[in-house]
Amino acid sequence: SDLIKSYFESLQSSGLVTGVAKKSPLSSTPNNHDKCPHFAYTAMHGVGLPYAIQSFQTFFSNDLQSHFHTVPQQSKPDPTFPTVPFPNPEEKGALDIAMLFAEQEKCDIVIANDPDADRLAIAEKSRVTGEWTVFTGDQIGTMLGHWLWERIGKTCGQPVAMCAS
């Protein structure tokens, strides 16, 4: 628990938590509430939920209750994985329950971990078409790399390199 606490403290002081997220887009005001993304998270019967909550609190502390929703059928660890044929969020059909829950809760984004929380899947619902896009690992990596470049890379004054494995 000290290691986890230290990890999140280092995130706070790393420059990755810029305060921008705490003001926008999750800052709910009467005029922008419908524009704020809402997240559905599934731990896929694994151990990821406490870390997902803590990550969300680190980056978006103001609106955790109103913007972060947990898929109840998949939130507790269960080694039999009763709601998925195979507990890998990258497998076809693995996000079906999470996306259905997201629809019911009016969430725009589904975030999923596999049971030991070392895999990540993300899906986004288009507000225009209502269709879901499930992003590949390469697409997620590209978006994260772009975000890091925009937040830190442009202004760090050091050479920047990114590598993928």
Side-chain angles (χ1 to χ4, degrees):
S1 103
D2 288 341
L3 177 64
I4 294 166
K5 182 180 177 194
S6 294
Y7 172 76
F8 282 101
E9 286 173 355
S10 72
L11 272 180
Q12 284 286 356
S13 63
S14 70
L16 294 176
V17 180
T18 62
V20 172
K22 292 181 181 176
K23 297 176 193 165
S24 165
L26 296 181
S27 301
S28 292
T29 64
N31 295 332
N32 78 350
H33 179 74
D34 291 337
K35 296 178 186 174
C36 299
H38 289 252
F39 299 84
Y41 173 77
T42 177
M44 209 159 285
H45 303 293
V47 299
L49 181 59
Y51 309 105
I53 290 171
Q54 196 164 2
S55 295
F56 201 92
Q57 287 172 330
T58 299
F59 286 92
F60 305 107
S61 63
N62 293 337
D63 289 315
L64 180 66
Q65 294 296 326
S66 63
H67 294 280
F68 184 86
H69 308 273
T70 303
V71 179
Q73 306 94 309
Q74 298 176 328
S75 65
K76 293 184 177 143
D78 184 340
T80 66
F81 315 117
T83 66
V84 290
F86 188 73
N88 179 344
E90 300 161 324
E91 292 290 325
K92 186 172 178 62
L95 297 180
D96 290 352
I97 288 174
M99 289 191 293
L100 180 62
F101 173 80
E103 295 269 349
Q104 293 167 349
E105 297 295 319
K106 297 182 176 38
C107 295
D108 309 285
I109 298 170
V110 169
I111 300 173
N113 285 128
D114 70 330
D116 64 354
D118 70 342
R119 290 193 182 121
L120 172 73
I122 298 176
E124 178 184 30
K125 183 177 178 183
S126 169
R127 290 185 179 186
V128 175
T129 66
E131 298 293 318
W132 284 96
T133 299
V134 179
F135 296 101
T136 66
D138 288 344
Q139 291 169 321
I140 295 168
T142 299
M143 288 185 277
L144 289 172
H146 176 73
W147 182 82
L148 281 169
W149 173 253
E150 290 295 319
R151 291 282 182 245
I152 296 172
K154 284 182 172 182
T155 60
C156 73
Q158 299 286 327
V160 175
M162 293 184 189
C163 44
S165 62

